[in-house]
Amino acid sequence: MPFNKHLKNDILDSLGEGVFTVDKSFRINFFNKSAERITGLKREEVIGQFCKHVFNSKVCYSDCPIAIVLKSKKNLYDFESEIHCPTGITKPIKLSAAVLYNGNNEPLGGVISFRDISEFDKIKKRLAKNTQFHNIIGHDKQMQEIYTLIQDIADSDAPVLIHGESGTGKEMIANAIQATSSRKDKPFIKINCSVFPENLLASELFGHVKGAFTDAVKDRIGRFELADGGTIFLDEVAEMPLQMQLQLLRVIQEGTFERVGESITRKVDVRIIAATNRDIEAALESGEFREDLYYRLSVIPIYVPPLRERMCDIAPLTYHFLNKFSLMYKKDITEIDDEAMDIIMNYEWRGNVRELENVIEYSFVRTPNGEKITLNKLPLLIRERVYNKKKQKNNFLFNDPEKEKLIRILEKHHWNKSKAAKELGIGRTTLWRKLKQHNILEK
Amino acid sequence: MNEMLGNQYFMARKYSEALSVYEECVQQDKSNNLIMKKMVICYTQVGKIQKAAELLYKIIQNNLDLILFTDPLKEDCPCDELAFNLETKYDKTLKSFDYLLALGVLWLYCDLNKSIEYFTEALQLKPDNKLINSILVILTKRKKQDSKQFDHHSSWQN
């Protein structure tokens, strides 16, 4: 079949994205079916018209996408704009633009493809509505108090120490503190103090000069210098080695430090937000965390409660994550049935909000598009734990570590019994027998 | 050469930017009347009225129709609006030479008679101006031709 003009038009008409082309005077000379659907305009109406008269968008006068490509000589992708339809509706769109050149490399026209992102915007707005404070979901009284505190300290540069179990959202609190502070437009640098060995942590925080150690092949600026004038977030600060704690104390007290391998003293102006999931009292008592540093860091202490202490937030968080994953996976799953919700509400959530998010994602991907999340789509381990808890409550003590281990390993290997048996160090037949013995049904 | 970029600037009514791109284009293609036609308008909007008139004269010497038969909609020509703005926003009593010259240039894209009126007024301020004299010769000649044709057409109908 020859690749003629009609075939090209048929191909362009079959696309889900709106596509139109213009000549070098910006008159439309092609308009595909999706462009008709999105704009509500007929091809016959727009061919030969100037694109600015068709789309009535302010960007035609300020940031014409094709003009941007002409100037930069680089194609444009996912440029956000809007169009005004003849129905009076303004639609947000994302577009890509390119310029068409002739054989002499002279521009002879342009092509724009665009898609309607109204639905995406609606979801974003819905998510924003459910968001209580800077993307943090929390209706609980303790969370409300945190929001008030963050607003109260907006004008302060005092150090903040955020306490809370793993997965409670300490980093989000830090983000909110930074975003409401007077330094919100200045650098915001984050570092997890637990992931670096002592010698590397010093280099990460304060930088180094060439030759300071074996791998120091050139000078490198540290996080404190990067954050100068802004804010630094020191996550898991209590994991910092004692020697480093001393150096940190000096930065807080004097604002000075030296790069590794250098004797020049440098000065910075950095607001410090630190976080820890450790029992800080115990760390102070055992001497793992310096008391003087603790008092310096903890001018404004914030305690983020674990999810089990804010039960009223579980349902809104669940729906927030459903909305988020609907957007991510382009699936319409917005509900969860009562049985499944009952399990979610009764689970202990030792991993807090992060664990809840992971469980919702797991259940979400297993649920067919358009359906509700049901009990059998939740991870088996969660169901088993809640059932066991209920049994214990009813004095039917049932605590079988072997069963729990079997389920955990099966979940880990997505119920691949060969892999699970291998990890358990038993044969497949033995595994089958144990599953039967513990009455573990296949998913 | 980036005529297309110039066209976008012109369409977005960024006359100064359009002019700098168009000037580069005509250096490479001195016969591109379509670009020159737009450059005349740009010159009036950046205050270079004399240059606008000179370029207009260059065009109409060979092709007066190119200017006279401008379709404001199909060509996205802003002249009627620009001329109207100039007439309403400025103090007509001052009637400076540049003011009259700019209106003579702009009106030629929309109305021959009005254009002649403004060029004639400008000539009254500077009777020795050769450029305006030359422009008016071309325009009045065309006006006479049009009248003759009209008379001939009317008498033929009668």
Side-chain angles (χ1 to χ4, degrees), chain A residues 19-22 26-32 35-36 39-55 86:
Chain A
V19 177
F20 71 93
T21 59
V22 293
F26 291 84
R27 282 195 192 88
I28 295 173
N29 50 18
F30 176 80
F31 204 72
N32 80 343
E36 286 185 325
T39 60
L41 292 158
K42 288 279 161 217
R43 187 177 298 186
E44 305 77 57
E45 295 171 318
V46 300
I47 297 288
Q49 301 286 326
F50 285 99
C51 51
K52 72 168 182 180
H53 294 149
V54 171
F55 293 102

Coordinates of all heavy atoms in Angstrom, one line a residue, chain A residues 19-22 26-32 35-36 39-55 86:
Chain A
V19 N -4.0 16.8 16.8 CA -2.9 17.2 16.0 C -3.3 18.3 15.0 O -4.4 18.1 14.3 CB -2.2 16.0 15.2 CG1 -1.1 16.5 14.4 CG2 -1.8 14.9 16.2
F20 N -2.6 19.4 14.9 CA -2.8 20.3 13.8 C -1.5 20.8 13.3 O -0.5 20.8 14.0 CB -3.8 21.4 14.2 CG -3.2 22.4 15.1 CD1 -2.6 23.6 14.6 CD2 -3.3 22.3 16.5 CE1 -2.1 24.6 15.5 CE2 -2.8 23.2 17.3 CZ -2.2 24.4 16.9
T21 N -1.5 21.2 12.0 CA -0.3 21.8 11.5 C -0.6 23.2 10.9 O -1.8 23.5 10.6 CB 0.3 21.0 10.3 OG1 -0.7 20.8 9.3 CG2 0.7 19.6 10.8
V22 N 0.4 24.1 10.9 CA 0.2 25.4 10.3 C 1.3 25.7 9.3 O 2.3 25.0 9.3 CB 0.4 26.5 11.4 CG1 -0.8 26.5 12.4 CG2 1.7 26.4 12.2
F26 N 1.3 30.8 9.9 CA 0.5 30.3 11.0 C -1.0 30.2 10.7 O -1.9 30.3 11.5 CB 0.6 31.3 12.2 CG 2.0 31.1 12.8 CD1 3.1 31.9 12.3 CD2 2.3 30.3 13.8 CE1 4.3 31.7 12.8 CE2 3.5 30.1 14.4 CZ 4.6 30.9 13.8
R27 N -1.3 29.8 9.4 CA -2.6 29.4 9.0 C -2.7 27.9 9.1 O -1.8 27.2 8.7 CB -2.9 29.8 7.6 CG -3.2 31.2 7.4 CD -3.8 31.4 6.0 NE -3.9 32.8 5.6 CZ -2.9 33.5 5.0 NH1 -1.8 32.9 4.7 NH2 -3.0 34.8 4.7
I28 N -3.8 27.4 9.7 CA -4.0 26.0 9.9 C -4.2 25.3 8.6 O -5.0 25.7 7.8 CB -5.2 25.7 10.9 CG1 -4.8 26.3 12.3 CG2 -5.5 24.2 11.0 CD1 -6.0 26.2 13.2
N29 N -3.4 24.2 8.3 CA -3.6 23.5 7.1 C -3.8 22.0 7.3 O -4.0 21.2 6.4 CB -2.4 23.7 6.1 CG -1.1 23.4 6.7 OD1 -1.0 22.8 7.8 ND2 0.0 23.9 6.1
F30 N -3.9 21.6 8.6 CA -4.3 20.2 8.9 C -4.9 20.2 10.3 O -4.4 20.9 11.2 CB -3.2 19.2 8.8 CG -3.6 17.8 9.2 CD1 -4.3 17.0 8.4 CD2 -3.3 17.3 10.5 CE1 -4.7 15.7 8.7 CE2 -3.8 16.1 10.9 CZ -4.5 15.3 10.0
F31 N -5.9 19.4 10.5 CA -6.6 19.4 11.8 C -7.2 18.0 12.0 O -8.1 17.7 11.2 CB -7.8 20.5 11.8 CG -8.2 21.0 13.1 CD1 -7.4 21.8 13.9 CD2 -9.4 20.7 13.7 CE1 -7.8 22.4 15.1 CE2 -9.9 21.2 14.9 CZ -9.0 22.1 15.6
N32 N -6.7 17.2 12.9 CA -7.2 15.8 12.9 C -8.5 15.7 13.7 O -9.0 16.6 14.3 CB -6.1 14.9 13.4 CG -5.9 14.9 14.9 OD1 -6.4 15.8 15.6 ND2 -5.3 13.8 15.4
A35 N -8.5 16.5 17.4 CA -8.4 18.0 17.6 C -9.9 18.5 17.5 O -10.2 19.4 18.3 CB -7.6 18.7 16.5
E36 N -10.7 18.0 16.6 CA -12.1 18.4 16.5 C -12.8 18.0 17.8 O -13.6 18.9 18.3 CB -12.8 17.6 15.3 CG -12.4 18.1 13.9 CD -13.2 17.4 12.9 OE1 -13.5 16.2 13.0 OE2 -13.5 18.1 11.8
T39 N -11.5 20.3 20.8 CA -11.8 21.8 20.7 C -13.3 22.0 20.4 O -13.8 23.1 20.7 CB -11.1 22.4 19.5 OG1 -11.4 21.8 18.3 CG2 -9.6 22.3 19.7
G40 N -14.0 21.0 19.9 CA -15.4 21.2 19.5 C -15.5 22.0 18.2 O -16.6 22.5 17.8
L41 N -14.4 22.1 17.4 CA -14.4 22.9 16.2 C -14.4 21.9 15.0 O -13.7 20.8 15.1 CB -13.2 23.8 16.1 CG -13.2 25.0 17.0 CD1 -11.8 25.4 17.2 CD2 -14.1 26.1 16.5
K42 N -15.0 22.2 13.9 CA -15.0 21.3 12.7 C -13.8 21.7 11.9 O -13.4 22.9 11.8 CB -16.3 21.5 11.9 CG -17.5 20.9 12.6 CD -17.5 19.4 12.3 CE -18.4 18.7 13.3 NZ -17.9 17.4 13.8
R43 N -13.2 20.7 11.3 CA -12.0 20.8 10.4 C -12.3 21.9 9.3 O -11.5 22.8 9.1 CB -11.8 19.5 9.7 CG -10.5 19.5 8.9 CD -10.3 18.1 8.4 NE -10.1 17.1 9.4 CZ -9.8 15.8 9.2 NH1 -9.6 15.4 7.9 NH2 -9.7 14.9 10.2
E44 N -13.5 21.9 8.7 CA -13.8 22.8 7.6 C -13.8 24.3 8.1 O -13.5 25.2 7.4 CB -15.2 22.5 7.0 CG -15.4 21.1 6.5 CD -15.7 20.1 7.7 OE1 -16.6 20.3 8.4 OE2 -14.9 19.2 7.8
E45 N -14.1 24.4 9.4 CA -14.2 25.8 10.0 C -12.8 26.4 10.2 O -12.6 27.6 10.2 CB -14.9 25.8 11.4 CG -16.3 25.4 11.4 CD -16.8 25.2 12.8 OE1 -16.1 24.6 13.6 OE2 -18.0 25.6 13.0
V46 N -11.8 25.5 10.4 CA -10.5 26.1 10.9 C -9.5 26.1 9.8 O -8.5 26.8 9.9 CB -10.0 25.3 12.1 CG1 -11.0 25.4 13.3 CG2 -9.7 23.8 11.8
I47 N -9.6 25.2 8.8 CA -8.6 25.2 7.8 C -8.5 26.5 7.1 O -9.5 27.1 6.7 CB -8.9 24.1 6.7 CG1 -8.9 22.7 7.4 CG2 -7.9 24.1 5.5 CD1 -7.5 22.1 7.8
G48 N -7.3 27.1 7.0 CA -7.1 28.4 6.3 C -7.1 29.5 7.3 O -6.8 30.6 7.0
Q49 N -7.6 29.2 8.6 CA -7.7 30.3 9.6 C -6.3 30.5 10.3 O -5.6 29.5 10.4 CB -8.7 30.0 10.6 CG -10.1 29.8 10.1 CD -10.8 31.1 9.7 OE1 -10.5 32.1 10.3 NE2 -11.6 31.0 8.6
F50 N -6.1 31.6 10.8 CA -4.9 31.8 11.7 C -5.2 31.1 13.0 O -6.3 31.2 13.5 CB -4.7 33.3 11.9 CG -4.1 34.0 10.8 CD1 -4.9 34.8 9.9 CD2 -2.7 34.0 10.5 CE1 -4.4 35.5 8.8 CE2 -2.2 34.6 9.4 CZ -3.0 35.4 8.6
C51 N -4.1 30.4 13.4 CA -4.3 29.6 14.7 C -4.7 30.4 15.9 O -5.5 30.0 16.7 CB -3.1 28.7 14.9 SG -1.6 29.6 15.0
K52 N -4.2 31.7 15.9 CA -4.6 32.5 17.1 C -6.1 32.8 17.1 O -6.6 33.0 18.2 CB -3.7 33.8 17.1 CG -4.1 34.8 16.0 CD -3.4 36.1 16.3 CE -3.8 37.1 15.2 NZ -3.1 38.4 15.4
H53 N -6.7 32.9 15.9 CA -8.1 33.2 15.9 C -8.9 31.9 16.3 O -10.0 32.0 16.8 CB -8.5 33.7 14.5 CG -7.9 35.0 14.2 ND1 -7.6 35.3 12.9 CD2 -7.6 36.0 14.9 CE1 -7.1 36.6 12.9 NE2 -7.1 37.0 14.1
V54 N -8.3 30.8 16.1 CA -9.0 29.5 16.4 C -8.9 29.2 17.8 O -9.9 28.8 18.5 CB -8.5 28.4 15.5 CG1 -9.0 27.0 15.9 CG2 -8.8 28.6 14.0
F55 N -7.7 29.3 18.4 CA -7.5 28.8 19.8 C -7.8 29.9 20.8 O -7.9 29.6 22.0 CB -6.2 28.2 19.9 CG -6.0 27.0 19.1 CD1 -5.4 26.9 17.9 CD2 -6.7 25.8 19.6 CE1 -5.3 25.8 17.2 CE2 -6.6 24.6 18.8 CZ -5.9 24.6 17.6
P86 N -15.5 26.9 21.5 CA -16.6 27.7 21.1 C -17.8 27.6 22.0 O -18.6 28.5 22.1 CB -17.0 27.2 19.7 CG -16.2 26.0 19.4 CD -15.1 25.9 20.4

